[in-house]
Amino acid sequence: MVMSNFVNAKHMLDKALEKGYAVAHINLNNLEWIKSILEAAQASNTPVIIGVSEGAVKYNCGYKNVADMVKNSMEFLKVTVDVCLHLDHGSYEGCKQAIAAGFTSVMFDGSHETIEENIKKTSEIVELAHKFNISVEGEVGGIGGTEDSTTSLGEIADVAQCQQLVSTGIDCLAAGIGNIHGVYPQNWKGLDFQVLAKIHQILPTTPLVLHGGSGIDEEQIRKAISLGIAKINVNTECQIAFANAIAEYCQNKKHLNDKGYDPRKLLKVGCDVIKEVCVTKFKLFGSFGKN
């Protein structure tokens, strides 16, 4: 099955950087997430990147199953907007498996390696992925918080190392600027815009990626986009909204009435709020209606 709108991230992000907005990367957790993201993007005529961590890949029975679920859902829902399927924080072997399974984009996260090893492995993934027209995201400076089983306190990326990693041919760069995964603590110091500005200054044509997009206030999001951020990752916000909606549904005992316990009814309330979060992010990031 070949769909002209099942694309890599490069064209999306180059256009976003040029036009001054960011594309939303929304992580999938299961089929409900896939449907919700696709329906929100289609209804608002917005390009979207659907991301998946290696933990979520395992939960959803493997790379091929994830790729098939996304492609089959696109076909069934008659999705016409551009959709990218991206491996988030991929390992070296994980990237290879995602490429073989038909993903259109991968992130090799070598931020925990020495810069020399990061460059070496990133270069190898770029060479393999680009043979199949698959885009590659690289990372310098660990993102704070916990992603699956990996925990980092967060780092501020070295600007020179950013330049080195981009020389490998990656299509976009994630650089630690004080951002974290998960819920931001009350004493969070905010994004380091000084470092972001320096990175953007030396790499003006490279789309930059902001991980941990859930919970960053609107003013900082807009400023980050003005300094080269062209892709913003969101997951925690959708998960919390989903959980809260279903908890309220059960607390109100709606699951006990009119077969409300049917998963299709029970999970729908969660799916509806995922779509609301997606559309809110599309508007904030400036990508709404930009397909």
Side-chain angles (χ1 to χ4, degrees):
M1 177 173 52
V2 178
M3 292 176 289
S4 61
N5 60 320
F6 188 55
V7 299
N8 68 29
K10 179 173 172 52
H11 174 69
M12 283 186 189
L13 299 184
D14 286 347
K15 181 181 175 183
L17 182 63
E18 179 188 354
K19 301 293 185 182
Y21 63 87
V23 177
H25 160 134
I26 312 291
N27 278 73
L28 73 84
N29 291 277
N30 56 24
L31 178 61
E32 279 69 32
W33 253 263
I34 294 170
K35 287 177 63 181
S36 301
I37 297 165
L38 290 176
E39 288 174 349
Q42 181 66 21
S44 59
N45 193 37
T46 301
V48 71
I49 296 169
I50 299 180
V52 60
S53 67
E54 292 194 4
V57 166
K58 184 177 180 181
Y59 178 80
N60 286 283
C61 301
Y63 291 92
K64 187 177 184 303
N65 197 48
V66 169
D68 287 347
M69 282 198 298
V70 172
K71 288 185 283 188
N72 291 342
S73 296
M74 287 175 65
E75 183 179 40
F76 181 80
L77 296 171
K78 296 181 172 56
V79 172
T80 57
V81 297
D82 287 345
V83 176
C84 169
L85 175 59
H86 177 79
L87 177 62
D88 192 21
H89 290 283
S91 63
Y92 186 77
E93 290 303 321
C95 285
K96 288 184 175 180
Q97 291 179 62
I99 290 166
F103 280 49
T104 57
S105 185
V106 296
M107 174 191 186
F108 170 64
D109 183 356
S111 61
H112 55 286
E113 310 266 12
T114 64
I115 185 60
E116 293 78 16
E117 190 68 12
N118 191 0
I119 289 169
K120 176 179 179 291
K121 289 181 177 176
T122 300
S123 297
E124 291 171 2
I125 294 298
V126 166
E127 183 179 3
L128 175 62
H130 283 182
K131 287 179 182 177
F132 300 97
N133 195 30
I134 294 168
S135 54
V136 179
E137 176 182 337
E139 182 176 332
V140 174
I143 308 302
T146 300
E147 182 80 2
D148 287 338
S149 59
T150 302
T151 300
S152 169
L153 296 176
E155 300 170 9
I156 303 299
D158 181 281
V159 178
Q161 290 183 0
C162 290
Q163 199 166 14
Q164 287 177 279
L165 199 66
V166 167
S167 70
T168 64
I170 57 174
D171 301 287
C172 56
L173 172 70
I177 53 170
N179 44 321
I180 67 171
H181 293 120
V183 178
Y184 281 82
Q186 288 186 341
N187 62 347
W188 180 57
K189 296 179 181 178
L191 299 176
D192 191 327
F193 289 111
Q194 230 178 354
V195 169
L196 179 58
K198 288 178 183 176
I199 296 170
H200 183 46
Q201 184 177 16
I202 65 166
L203 300 167
T205 61
T206 301
L208 304 177
V209 180
L210 180 64
H211 285 249
S214 295
I216 299 176
D217 65 77
E218 294 186 6
E219 184 180 349
Q220 290 194 71
I221 289 289
R222 292 191 180 97
K223 186 170 183 180
I225 292 171
S226 75
L227 294 172
I229 293 294
K231 173 177 177 279
I232 302 178
N233 292 22
V234 175
N235 186 26
T236 301
E237 212 160 332
C238 288
Q239 290 181 331
I240 291 173
F242 180 85
N244 286 342
I246 292 177
E248 182 180 356
Y249 180 86
C250 293
Q251 285 166 1
N252 292 333
K253 302 192 183 304
K254 292 184 179 179
H255 62 298
L256 301 177
N257 301 319
D258 193 27
K259 292 189 177 180
Y261 51 79
D262 185 326
R264 290 169 292 183
K265 292 184 177 182
L266 177 67
L267 297 178
K268 182 182 183 300
V269 297
C271 293
D272 287 344
V273 295
I274 292 173
K275 287 188 273 190
E276 289 173 10
V277 172
C278 286
V279 172
T280 298
K281 297 303 178 185
F282 298 160
K283 290 178 179 177
L284 174 59
F285 301 166
S287 59
F288 186 93
K290 292 292 199 309
N291 194 66

